Amino acid sequence: MKEVADYLELQASLPDVVKASPYSSIAFAATDNESQIAYLTAIDESDLEKEDKEKLKADLQDIWKRYPDKFVVADNLVLRDVAEITDKRLIASMNLNEPGVDHPDNCEASSSGGSYEIRWAAIPHKTSPFILLMDLRTVFMLEI
């Protein structure tokens, strides 16, 4: 329970501009080296030109250095670009042509071990809406 209390205290202490950001989860990566590596890798593996990748990574690292006290509204433009890259990466990693997906248009599916279905559900979130893609084997969250 202490972890939850610590988390809630941290959230309450964040500046309003951070709390209002729809991309605060990317900014929050400033506190976690593994998350930073994941975002930087996604940028490196994106289809951007080399110069654009380097600029985006430098801008993102600048945001992380200033997070949370010197985060500004304009930082959301950089974070939006990063979010678009990670969204494209996630969508590309989901292969609807794999065995077991019979009718992707109407979300009917089956597998050799029996049938399962894909369910979409909107989950309310304080700063941004999420979509949850769920089947009996895997759960994906997509920020929209």
Side-chain angles (χ1 to χ4, degrees):
M1 282 307 253
K2 179 159 175 33
E3 288 178 14
V4 172
D6 290 346
Y7 176 78
L8 293 174
E9 183 179 333
L10 170 68
Q11 290 297 315
S13 72
L14 292 173
D16 289 340
V17 68
V18 173
K19 291 180 200 176
S21 171
Y23 310 106
S24 60
S25 61
I26 299 171
F28 189 72
T31 65
D32 179 55
N33 192 44
E34 287 183 34
S35 294
Q36 290 179 25
I37 291 169
Y39 285 115
L40 295 173
T41 300
I43 293 168
D44 280 336
E45 294 176 355
S46 73
D47 57 0
L48 293 175
E49 296 293 325
K50 183 176 181 174
E51 304 84 38
D52 295 333
K53 289 178 186 181
E54 294 306 317
K55 180 170 179 1
L56 185 57
K57 290 190 319 185
D59 290 346
L60 182 58
Q61 289 172 320
D62 176 60
I63 291 168
W64 288 336
K65 287 177 188 168
R66 295 183 285 106
Y67 179 85
D69 296 324
K70 295 186 179 178
F71 184 87
V72 296
V73 173
D75 291 336
N76 285 307
L77 297 173
V78 172
L79 299 180
R80 180 200 60 208
D81 292 344
V82 174
E84 288 175 1
I85 288 169
T86 57
D87 290 349
K88 286 179 187 177
R89 183 179 168 123
L90 175 62
I91 291 167
S93 72
M94 298 169 53
N95 183 1
L96 291 180
N97 294 320
E98 69 183 42
V101 179
D102 300 328
H103 307 284
D105 291 334
N106 63 9
C107 296
E108 291 178 18
S110 65
S111 66
S112 59
S115 65
Y116 64 93
E117 63 185 38
I118 297 173
R119 297 180 188 168
W120 291 91
I123 299 174
H125 187 270
K126 188 174 186 178
T127 59
S128 65
F130 282 84
I131 289 181
L132 178 66
L133 168 62
M134 180 172 50
D135 70 26
L136 297 178
R137 299 175 294 178
T138 313
V139 175
F140 297 97
M141 286 193 79
L142 305 173
E143 188 171 0
I144 59 166

